[in-house]
Amino acid sequence: MQAIGRVVTTSDAAQRSIETFDDRFAAVRPRLLSICRGLVGPALAEDLVHDTYLRGRGKIHQLRDPGLFDAWIARIAINLCFNSHRRSRRLQAREIDAATAPRVPERDLALVELIEQLAPRERTVIVLHYGHGYPVADIARFVGVSDVNARTILFRARMRLGDRLREAEQ
Amino acid sequence: MTDQHADALFRRLAAGEQLSESDRLHVSECRACGQAVAEAGRLDGRLRKAAQFLAGEPLPPGIQRDLKVLGRPPATGWVTAGAAVVVGVAVIAGLALASTRPTGDASPVPSTSSSGEAAPTVLPSPDASAEPGDFVSGPYGCGDGVEGFAIWVPSGWFANSAHDGVAACRYVSVEQFNLAAIDSPDSVPIRFNVLSGDFGLTDEILERRELTIADLPALRFELAGVDGKYLVYVIGIDGQLPSESNTSRFLTASTAAGDKTFDRYSAAVEEMLSRFAVTTPFRTPADVAATADDLMHDTATCTNDGGPFVLRYPDGWFTNEPAGETPGCTFFGPSDMSGDGGDGLPDGAEITISVSDGAVGSFDSFFSFDSVNVGGRPGQRTETDGTVSGDGRSYRYVVQLTNQIVGTNLLAAVRLRDATDYELAKAVLDRMLDTIRFEPPSGDDATCLASDLDIESGRVGAYHGHSTQLITLTNVSGEQCELAGAPKMTVQAPSGSKTVDLGRYARQALVIAPQSHATILVGAPAACSPRSDDVADTIQIMINQSSTQLRDLYIPLTCGDPVLLLFEIQP
């Protein structure tokens, strides 16, 4: 008789999670891409969604309720968008979708372009607050900064936008 | 100067400042400043329009609630240690759970046991393929097959079916509900969740009790939430309460917050937990395969002299030593095989691998029947119900060690009655047989010599995209003989000599009866561009150090090197 070594076991739940992650991510990817485009622009969105995939796959075991996958993965994406200034300050003007652009008055289109020129952190906070309607406190929690910091980023961005808007319109 | 004032005022307002009394006075006398104030007032509206344009897709429901994003119970404010999310100003209540053990002096509410009459009547888990709107209505013993627990759903309550990765019995409501629509957990009054690691509470604890539920340590909290009072149970379903020093799973059962609903929901939760039990989680075939792969990650090797064969088995498992007529490396199992388990098997043996002579068959009904190749030998793998044989459900391999069914066979089997984990034992057997090596060639047959075989070229043809040349070996010795594998062969072409790739047939043994024929089908890829005229017309066949040459063949090599396509006994 012999008994040598150690029987390794794995977490059934974790294994299942990883196996289903790719499928679920594929389903939510277009939505993430759209969200990230809005937050940081098309130039960075693809890369950030890919980073979201990598980050999510590595952390899927932290998601205790698979029913909340979409919210969980979107949150990771938002965080990455918010922090994308660390990887690149390169910003490009957003290419306005021809089908959508006419719905926006020309004057607001100018503001859209000004928002697109903001740094990713400022742009993320502006879009989350004004575009998605989240209170500053919620945004602070999304992106992992204090309420005060989030509020500072928001008002600094507002001030910058206001300055440029007045400059452009005068 | 006025414009500068206006710009400065606009910037201050845009930055979130409010108009002061002196600002108001100034604005009343400054037209540009008044316009700046108006512009600042319109800025929010303009920003909203522009940002909505940029927002693209709406965010998934639920993201606005940090607690829910990590799958925590509704409106309770759980904080899991190590989680990336910081929930506002969390008031960790200093539970010091790491060092806390249930004292048992608190009155157990509910006082239940995993045995006896309080045990749940667990019906099959609600269908995992159910539609989102599917639910089960109480009274029902509702089982979560993923995490392995069961609760009681009282009459008048509804629990969700498993759907799209959400386990069954996680949401319980007095109303029928649609699982896909549960974006706000507050709409479901009672929710169950399984977490692991440490935890803290963000709300004020009104009451904390230690108790046991189904013999498991548990905690009962009454908490004061923003929306009112609520109840939370924590049950250490792995046998211990959560703490910083373990990663054990724990079940939470929580009610929605509300002073008016507290008594009703609390009573319901306690009724649900009155028949709480830990169950065996179900597994998918992928789970079983992964476990078997893990087991076979570290292996030991043993030799069965009766085969003879050599194989690898899980390093943490046991096998038998030779005893009497039973060779070693016959029985395998995860526990020590001491003592007689009856039925000819040692106690603890879950897998049996042996060699026997004679025909093998079964009158049992088949669940499955597959042709397989084990260690280069053909065979069959079956799963039978075992009602006729009396063996019960069994998973067997029959591998021909000679080229005849009525000959020597390797038999490998797992019986449901012997295995503590039948599916896992099957998966381990599959992997063990992937490692089997028969050596030296089985049986008592003499090795075929070149002089025993008459070698002839046959027809030229095509097979699976290859141009082919048939070669026939006929045993003319008068005695059965065996080839341990396909003979080495070299073809001669204008471009030079090339060795025939034997592939999997290099170790395929063939026993050739007197006057029987073995087929060798040599080929080379048939289609390519451009073409040339490199055609082999001679082949050198090596049989036991003796070389035989055949001429006047046709093996075009213009599209690739020669390969052995078939090596078998002619029927």
Side-chain angles (χ1 to χ4, degrees):
Chain A
M1 305 286 181
Q2 51 183 310
I4 307 168
R6 182 171 63 89
V7 176
V8 178
T9 59
T10 57
S11 158
D12 290 350
Q15 184 65 29
R16 265 191 298 278
S17 297
I18 290 171
E19 285 168 0
T20 57
F21 178 83
D22 285 2
D23 288 343
R24 301 200 67 176
F25 188 86
V28 79
R29 188 178 181 282
R31 187 181 208 173
L32 295 179
L33 205 51
S34 176
I35 291 168
C36 285
R37 275 198 202 108
L39 296 178
V40 295
L44 289 176
E46 287 273 0
D47 284 352
L48 288 170
V49 170
H50 182 65
D51 288 353
T52 303
Y53 168 82
L54 296 176
R55 185 75 58 91
R57 204 168 196 278
K59 291 179 177 291
I60 185 65
H61 62 280
Q62 293 181 2
L63 177 65
R64 298 298 170 197
D65 186 342
L68 299 174
F69 179 85
D70 286 7
W72 175 77
I73 198 73
R75 205 200 119 110
I76 291 176
I78 290 169
N79 255 316
L80 288 170
C81 290
F82 180 76
N83 290 316
S84 61
H85 69 289
R86 291 174 187 161
R87 44 185 289 148
S88 169
R89 288 188 172 277
R90 178 172 53 92
L91 285 176
Q92 295 177 5
R94 186 176 190 274
E95 292 176 10
I96 303 300
D97 181 351
T100 315
R103 295 182 196 164
V104 182
E106 190 176 347
R107 194 154 166 251
D108 287 328
L109 191 56
L111 189 51
V112 167
E113 289 175 356
L114 290 176
I115 294 172
E116 287 171 336
Q117 291 169 23
L118 290 172
R121 299 188 84 145
E122 292 178 341
R123 177 172 169 167
T124 300
V125 172
I126 287 284
V127 173
L128 286 174
H129 183 64
Y130 289 104
H132 291 289
Y134 288 106
V136 178
D138 281 353
I139 295 170
R141 292 206 297 268
F142 290 174
V143 297
V145 298
S146 68
D147 282 11
V148 174
N149 275 349
R151 195 168 296 278
T152 301
I153 293 169
L154 177 70
F155 285 127
R156 190 181 297 150
R158 251 173 65 117
M159 190 174 69
R160 212 184 305 276
L161 287 171
D163 279 351
R164 291 176 186 171
L165 199 59
R166 276 173 68 81
E167 194 178 317
E169 291 176 351
Q170 280 176 356
Chain B
M1 192 67 179
T2 303
D3 285 349
Q4 286 177 346
H5 270 291
D7 287 345
L9 186 59
F10 178 86
R11 295 190 80 221
R12 283 172 45 213
L13 293 175
E17 284 190 30
Q18 301 294 317
L19 276 177
S20 67
E21 201 53 42
S22 63
D23 289 332
R24 292 181 201 283
L25 286 173
H26 180 75
V27 167
S28 64
E29 299 171 357
C30 169
R31 183 183 173 85
C33 297
Q35 288 176 343
V37 171
E39 278 180 39
R42 288 195 296 269
L43 182 60
D44 271 352
R46 294 181 62 185
L47 277 171
R48 199 168 295 117
K49 282 184 182 176
Q52 282 171 356
F53 173 79
L54 285 170
E57 289 260 346
L59 296 181
I63 198 169
Q64 69 272 26
R65 290 176 177 274
D66 272 346
L67 305 178
K68 185 170 181 259
V69 169
L70 283 187
R72 293 166 185 159
T76 58
W78 291 91
V79 179
T80 300
V85 182
V86 178
V87 184
V89 185
V91 183
I92 305 298
L95 293 170
L97 286 168
S99 58
T100 302
R101 300 293 305 166
T103 59
D105 54 358
S107 58
V109 178
S111 177
T112 60
S113 166
S114 60
S115 60
E117 60 187 20
T121 306
V122 182
L123 301 179
S125 282
D127 187 3
S129 63
E131 292 299 313
D134 285 355
F135 44 79
V136 295
S137 56
Y140 190 90
C142 194
D144 177 338
V146 176
E147 297 289 354
F149 70 87
I151 57 165
W152 180 252
V153 179
S155 178
W157 288 79
F158 300 88
N160 70 291
S161 300
H163 177 76
D164 194 21
V166 179
C169 321
R170 293 300 182 91
Y171 300 92
V172 189
S173 175
V174 287
E175 296 171 355
Q176 300 173 1
F177 58 91
N178 187 319
L179 190 60
I182 301 178
D183 295 327
S184 170
D186 293 340
S187 65
V188 180
I190 294 172
R191 188 177 174 197
F192 293 84
N193 203 359
V194 175
L195 305 171
S196 61
D198 199 5
F199 76 97
L201 296 170
T202 57
D203 288 321
E204 181 190 355
I205 299 174
L206 302 174
E207 183 183 311
R208 175 182 183 274
R209 289 159 65 181
E210 297 177 5
L211 62 155
T212 58
I213 297 176
D215 296 331
L216 296 170
L219 297 168
R220 181 185 185 276
F221 296 101
E222 290 183 12
L223 300 163
V226 175
D227 300 323
K229 197 173 167 185
Y230 63 97
L231 179 71
V232 174
Y233 273 96
V234 175
I235 305 171
I237 54 177
D238 285 340
Q240 55 185 343
L241 286 170
S243 78
E244 289 178 353
S245 59
N246 70 47
T247 56
S248 299
R249 297 173 308 147
F250 58 96
L251 175 78
T252 64
S254 55
T255 66
D259 292 332
K260 292 181 180 175
T261 55
F262 179 79
D263 289 343
R264 183 185 178 201
Y265 292 165
S266 298
V269 165
E270 285 168 356
E271 186 175 357
M272 290 170 196
L273 292 178
S274 68
R275 296 192 184 186
F276 172 82
V278 173
T279 61
T280 303
F282 70 75
R283 294 164 303 168
T284 65
D287 297 330
V288 176
T291 306
D293 286 339
D294 280 340
L295 283 171
M296 289 295 286
H297 186 265
D298 296 314
T299 56
T301 301
C302 67
T303 301
N304 183 314
D305 295 326
F309 60 81
V310 178
L311 57 68
R312 287 186 280 136
Y313 64 101
D315 203 7
W317 278 33
F318 295 80
T319 188
N320 66 300
E321 298 289 350
E325 294 183 354
T326 305
C329 200
T330 296
F331 303 111
F332 302 86
S335 55
D336 190 3
M337 281 176 276
S338 55
D340 183 2
D343 208 9
L345 298 181
D347 188 24
E350 299 197 356
I351 291 174
T352 304
I353 303 177
S354 61
V355 174
S356 72
D357 293 325
V360 177
S362 174
F363 294 103
D364 292 323
S365 298
F366 289 103
F367 293 119
S368 65
F369 187 104
D370 301 301
S371 293
V372 293
N373 188 301
V374 175
R377 319 276 172 145
Q380 290 82 42
R381 180 177 59 199
T382 61
E383 187 160 18
T384 55
D385 64 0
T387 50
V388 176
S389 64
D391 281 345
R393 185 162 182 151
S394 303
Y395 183 71
R396 296 176 192 276
Y397 282 81
V398 178
V399 181
Q400 295 172 227
L401 300 183
T402 62
N403 64 309
Q404 294 159 329
I405 294 289
V406 186
T408 304
N409 294 295
L410 179 86
L411 307 178
V414 175
R415 296 192 305 185
L416 180 62
R417 68 171 59 155
D418 303 325
T420 52
D421 188 334
Y422 176 66
E423 293 299 330
L424 180 61
K426 285 167 53 182
V428 170
L429 175 59
D430 290 341
R431 284 153 183 75
M432 286 169 59
L433 292 183
D434 283 344
T435 73
I436 201 166
R437 212 171 60 235
F438 298 103
E439 55 180 18
S442 61
D444 299 325
D445 301 312
T447 301
C448 296
L449 304 175
S451 58
D452 296 334
L453 302 172
D454 181 24
I455 305 176
E456 292 182 335
S457 58
R459 288 178 297 177
V460 170
Y463 180 79
H464 288 197
H466 291 71
S467 298
T468 60
Q469 171 68 60
L470 183 68
I471 296 169
T472 303
L473 311 181
T474 304
N475 183 352
V476 294
S477 69
E479 298 289 336
Q480 184 167 282
C481 69
E482 177 172 307
L483 288 172
K488 292 178 181 174
M489 293 176 281
T490 307
V491 298
Q492 297 291 335
S495 60
S497 66
K498 290 185 177 174
T499 301
V500 177
D501 180 3
L502 302 182
R504 64 191 176 98
Y505 296 113
R507 297 177 57 82
Q508 168 84 59
L510 281 188
V511 175
I512 310 174
Q515 299 306 314
S516 291
H517 311 284
T519 293
I520 290 176
L521 192 66
V522 177
C528 65
S529 178
R531 299 185 65 86
S532 66
D533 294 326
D534 193 22
V535 177
D537 61 358
T538 303
I539 191 166
Q540 200 85 16
I541 302 174
M542 295 290 295
I543 296 177
N544 284 315
Q545 314 303 321
S546 297
S547 173
T548 302
Q549 194 174 66
L550 292 178
R551 295 180 182 279
D552 300 326
L553 307 181
Y554 185 83
I555 306 174
L557 303 177
T558 52
C559 299
D561 292 336
V563 294
L564 179 58
L565 297 169
L566 286 176
F567 177 57
E568 62 185 18
I569 297 293
Q570 281 184 16

